[in-house]
Amino acid sequence: MIDNLDKYVTRDNLDINWRFEDKKEILTQIKILDRKAYDLIWEKLFHDNIVGKFTLNEDKFKTFEAKDFNNDYNWITARLHEFKNKEDDIILIWADGQALLTNFQTFIENWDDFYYPSSDDLLIINSKRDWIINLTHYECFRFGQGIG
């Protein structure tokens, strides 16, 4: 995707504090990426046809899973806990132009603060860039592994 994302870390708050009003300590676990990083990541995802209209293109992955979870947040929590390497860094990208870095464990423990159904379309990309999770505003979990 793009290398050395740390050079795109900004101190500018892209209006994420409201997500963590009751959990300010999470903000210390987040690195906000600037708009240039967002644009570069999005351009790469779109150019390689991995994502179209902020949803994963199933045919771009060796393994693909999709599930409408319809308010079954326990299913999402359980599914996220099935992932290995929870210490890995991840990139979070929202459709509204925000992007940040954090570790997967922080995301798993607080996913319902990072994602709001009916308003957020969110991509979660692991640091090795070999899988992507897509949580859509219409409550669909999509997972693609083995980007090819």
Side-chain angles (χ1 to χ4, degrees), residues 36-83:
K36 183 175 181 179
Y38 174 88
D39 290 342
L40 289 169
I41 294 166
W42 180 248
E43 181 180 308
K44 178 70 174 160
L45 291 170
F46 188 72
H47 181 267
D48 291 349
N49 201 28
I50 295 168
V51 174
K53 294 189 179 185
F54 230 86
T55 188
L56 297 182
N57 289 325
E58 182 176 347
D59 61 339
K60 288 294 181 176
F61 300 93
K62 293 177 184 162
T63 304
F64 189 82
E65 169 188 354
K67 177 174 175 57
D68 293 327
F69 57 92
N70 302 322
N71 292 322
D72 188 356
Y73 303 125
N74 290 330
W75 182 89
I76 292 288
T77 300
R79 181 64 182 95
L80 291 172
H81 279 285
E82 292 173 5
F83 282 82

Side-chain angles (χ1 to χ4, degrees), residues 90-107:
I90 57 170
I91 304 164
L92 301 175
I93 303 170
W94 287 266
D96 67 358
Q98 295 184 29
L100 59 85
L101 298 171
T102 192
N103 65 65
F104 197 41
Q105 187 64 42
T106 297
F107 176 77

